[in-house]
Amino acid sequence: MKNTVLHKANTRGHADHGWLNAHHTFSFASYYNPDRVQFGVLRVLNDDIVAGGMGFGTHPHDNMEIITIPLEGDLAHKDSMGNTEVIKFGDVQVMSAGTGIQHSEFNPNPDKRTNLLQIWVFPKYRNVEPRYQQITLDTSDRHNKLQQILSPFADDAGVWIHQDAWFHMGNLDKGVTLDYNRKKEGNGLYVFVIKGSVKADGQDLGERDGLGITDFDKVTFEATTDAEILLMEVPMIQ
């Protein structure tokens, strides 16, 4: 019997700092909801809009897998491992913070905003050696199908993290139906609608809605408009 938890877009935490307009699916910073702390090992799902030329100063992380997906604009990254990169639409970046890293992120374009998803996943192992990975994906490979963007395996498609998790993205034309089959028994699936609207096993989801699904083998998606979705399969026990 599938179990679901629905997080409508307008119920997310919200903080507008002027230079940063942030929506938090799960408790983060000054937003705390005891019913919305995490979904399994999925701890943070932030939908951030960063104003031109602005950004996050150098700050630390440890023992977290941090995934960044730009949806619009660019993000300049610099870290204590010596990486200096610009992440663009179509890229996926991951940092395994492990024993500890420091990094900064800012919008390098003074005249346009950057919209990004930043996702934190609790790692399977603590105190691993910090690592950085960034790849550029062919977004046409997610047209009316699911493109794997993250897995537990270094030799598999997408980036990899220290966790039994799989992420996929799909750009679906209205009316398209497809299935997602669970990769590992006991995992849950968190669905996030980036654009448009879909039905997930008949549940209507609109733009920026989230749906957590547990105790499932397969989920069927139907695009009720042209839609873009992010699927995050994660272990339900930390």
Side-chain angles (χ1 to χ4, degrees):
M1 178 75 179
K2 292 176 184 173
N3 291 302
T4 60
V5 55
L6 177 62
H7 297 145
K8 297 295 288 183
N10 62 3
T11 68
R12 296 179 296 170
H14 181 226
D16 190 346
H17 303 286
W19 67 273
L20 171 67
N21 188 5
H23 287 86
H24 312 302
T25 294
F26 302 106
S27 296
F28 189 84
S30 60
Y31 167 63
Y32 178 72
N33 180 338
D35 298 321
R36 300 266 289 264
V37 174
Q38 64 198 81
F39 177 77
V41 300
L42 177 61
R43 173 61 189 88
V44 167
L45 174 55
N46 286 349
D47 181 3
D48 293 342
I49 294 175
V50 183
M54 304 301 286
F56 304 90
T58 302
H59 58 282
H61 294 283
D62 64 68
N63 288 309
M64 195 67 72
E65 304 290 305
I66 300 169
I67 301 101
T68 301
I69 304 172
L71 302 178
E72 174 190 341
D74 307 324
L75 191 71
H77 164 96
K78 188 174 183 179
D79 66 42
S80 54
M81 294 179 281
N83 299 293
T84 303
E85 303 286 349
V86 175
I87 320 166
K88 301 176 179 292
F89 173 75
D91 294 348
V92 179
Q93 178 216 59
V94 64
M95 290 188 302
S96 298
T99 54
I101 58 166
Q102 295 199 24
H103 76 137
S104 62
E105 301 157 295
F106 73 95
N107 178 354
N109 305 307
D111 56 343
K112 62 180 182 180
R113 71 181 197 173
T114 295
N115 183 200
L116 63 109
L117 298 179
Q118 188 164 98
I119 300 158
W120 295 7
V121 175
F122 286 112
K124 193 174 183 178
Y125 310 107
R126 289 184 60 81
N127 297 322
V128 300
E129 181 181 350
R131 61 177 287 271
Y132 179 92
Q133 184 184 7
Q134 178 180 334
I135 62 170
T136 299
L137 296 165
D138 183 351
T139 58
S140 67
D141 286 344
R142 62 185 74 153
H143 181 228
N144 290 333
K145 56 185 177 181
L146 296 174
Q147 178 187 42
Q148 182 172 290
I149 66 166
L150 176 149
S151 81
F153 308 115
D155 59 353
D156 207 349
V159 296
W160 69 274
I161 64 171
H162 296 281
Q163 188 52 271
D164 295 326
W166 288 262
F167 289 11
H168 291 76
M169 295 182 78
N171 292 332
L172 310 182
D173 295 336
K174 181 180 179 180
V176 167
T177 299
L178 52 76
D179 293 334
Y180 179 83
N181 296 288
R182 187 184 58 184
K183 306 289 188 189
K184 185 176 180 181
E185 187 174 353
N187 278 2
L189 184 70
Y190 197 87
V191 181
F192 186 70
V193 181
I194 297 171
K195 292 179 184 174
S197 58
V198 300
K199 288 181 183 288
D201 281 348
Q203 170 69 59
D204 286 308
L205 299 174
E207 193 161 301
R208 263 45 180 200
D209 287 352
L211 181 71
I213 307 169
T214 53
D215 303 309
F216 77 100
D217 293 314
K218 180 179 77 171
V219 179
T220 299
F221 294 92
E222 179 190 353
T224 50
T225 68
D226 291 352
E228 182 177 4
I229 57 174
L230 169 63
L231 309 182
M232 295 167 279
E233 178 181 331
V234 294
M236 295 309 295
I237 45 178
Q238 189 179 324

